[in-house]
């Protein structure tokens, strides 16, 4: 089932177009990796897909009953975000706000779902810990659990392993692949070609030349 169709998309910022005529589709269960050089527009594309940055042309069509508020998003972390003084539970549950605005109180179902997502990420035992006291890998697991509380079908991940050591990086990639195997559709920005070839099933390469297709087609054509 198709979740997202992008047709002739132009994107940029401050009235400056940085990419033109982007076309790709994402079906339920896909694992799409977005590749490209620094400054090629990868993060701008992701923010455009989330309607955080307006498109400068073209269209994005959501299918399969997907709503904008049902997309989980894991942005690149800044130093100030890593130092956020809240508990793991509070941060994870804040993901529900994306579904329907601010919630002064959470339902029993919300609390159960948050705990399930923390368990999926292996951080249930950290639920009362302060977020800023955690390691980088633990913080990313917290933010993934938060994104899952926002997501029904689709997760958008912007460089989720940036700054992590190789062992923690591999563990996080395996967690993301497990989510995909469980039916969560993944769109991930990465500089890690090896991980893209190992985990993704489709590649979108943006820059001077734009490519969209299966991983196998990409490897045969460009590697």
């Amino acid at each position: 089932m198709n979740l997202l169709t992008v047709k002739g998309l132009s994107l940029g910022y401050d009235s400056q177009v940085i990419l033109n005529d982007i076309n790709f589709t994402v079906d339920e269960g896909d694992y799409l990796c977005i590749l490209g050089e620094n400054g090629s527009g990868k993060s701008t594309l992701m923010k455009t897909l989330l309607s955080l940055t307006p498109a400068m042309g073209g269209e994005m069509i959501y299918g399969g009953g997907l709503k904008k508020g049902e997309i989980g998003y894991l942005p690149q972390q800044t130093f100030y975000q890593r130092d956020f003084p809240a508990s793991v539970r509070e941060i994870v549950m804040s993901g529900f706000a994306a579904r329907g605005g601010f919630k002064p109180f959470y339902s029993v179902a919300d609390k159960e779902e948050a705990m399930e997502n923390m368990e999926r990420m292996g951080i249930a035992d950290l639920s009362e810990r302060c977020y800023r006291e955690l390691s980088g890998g633990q913080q990313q697991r917290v933010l993934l659990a938060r994104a899952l509380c926002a997501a029904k079908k689709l997760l958008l991940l912007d460089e989720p392993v940036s700054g992590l050591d190789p062992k923690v990086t591999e563990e996080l990639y395996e967690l993301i692949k497990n989510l995909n195997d469980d039916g969560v559709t993944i769109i991930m920005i990465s500089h890690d070609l090896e991980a893209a070839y190992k985990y993704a099933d489709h590649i979108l390469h943006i820059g001077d030349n734009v490519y969209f297709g299966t991983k196998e087609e990409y490897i045969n054509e460009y590697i």
Side-chain angles (χ1 to χ4, degrees):
M1 181 181 296
N2 181 259
L3 291 184
L4 175 65
T5 299
V6 173
K7 294 183 178 180
L9 190 68
S10 295
L11 51 96
Y13 44 86
D14 297 331
S15 300
Q16 179 182 358
V17 175
I18 59 175
L19 277 175
N20 260 318
D21 198 27
I22 304 297
N23 300 276
F24 65 94
T25 59
V26 178
D27 291 334
E28 194 167 358
D30 279 355
Y31 192 140
L32 171 67
C33 192
I34 302 175
L35 304 175
E37 300 297 327
N38 287 334
S40 61
K42 300 186 299 297
S43 292
T44 302
L45 172 59
M46 190 162 281
K47 290 176 182 177
T48 303
L49 296 179
L50 290 159
S51 299
L52 299 175
T53 298
M56 304 185 78
E59 57 182 336
M60 300 177 293
I61 304 166
Y62 295 91
L66 181 68
K67 300 175 183 178
K68 292 179 181 178
E70 296 175 341
I71 300 174
Y73 177 44
L74 178 61
Q76 293 188 49
Q77 274 206 90
T78 67
F79 170 78
Y80 298 104
Q81 290 168 325
R82 293 189 180 100
D83 199 40
F84 196 69
S87 74
V88 166
R89 184 190 302 275
E90 288 170 332
I91 289 178
V92 171
M93 295 196 68
S94 69
F96 291 116
R99 293 189 188 176
F102 174 73
K103 287 187 175 184
F105 302 102
Y106 294 102
S107 68
V108 172
D110 288 340
K111 294 175 182 178
E112 290 176 348
E113 185 176 348
M115 180 55 68
E116 288 173 2
N117 288 329
M118 285 188 280
E119 289 172 351
R120 292 171 84 180
M121 294 295 103
I123 55 169
D125 60 326
L126 303 177
S127 63
E128 303 306 321
R129 289 275 303 277
C130 182
Y131 175 77
R132 64 183 177 188
E133 295 173 356
L134 304 181
S135 68
Q138 290 171 329
Q139 288 186 344
Q140 287 299 83
R141 288 174 182 244
V142 172
L143 296 180
L144 265 175
R146 179 185 185 277
L148 285 169
C149 288
K152 285 290 188 179
K153 299 180 180 180
L154 178 61
L155 274 180
L156 274 59
L157 312 175
D158 191 349
E159 297 284 1
V161 301
S162 179
L164 303 181
D165 67 47
K167 181 177 183 296
V168 175
T169 291
E170 184 64 24
E171 291 172 350
L172 202 63
Y173 277 138
E174 288 295 331
L175 279 174
I176 294 167
K177 183 61 170 67
N178 289 340
L179 292 175
N180 184 241
D181 290 342
D182 288 342
V184 179
T185 305
I186 304 292
I187 300 178
M188 181 179 72
I189 291 174
S190 179
H191 284 100
D192 189 341
L193 294 178
E194 183 177 339
Y197 302 153
K198 181 176 180 179
Y199 296 108
D201 49 51
H202 288 77
I203 301 289
L204 174 65
H205 190 122
I206 61 177
D208 293 336
N209 296 308
V210 177
Y211 168 89
F212 171 69
T214 67
K215 170 180 62 180
E216 291 76 16
E217 291 168 343
Y218 181 80
I219 291 172
N220 289 336
E221 187 168 345
Y222 291 94
I223 307 305

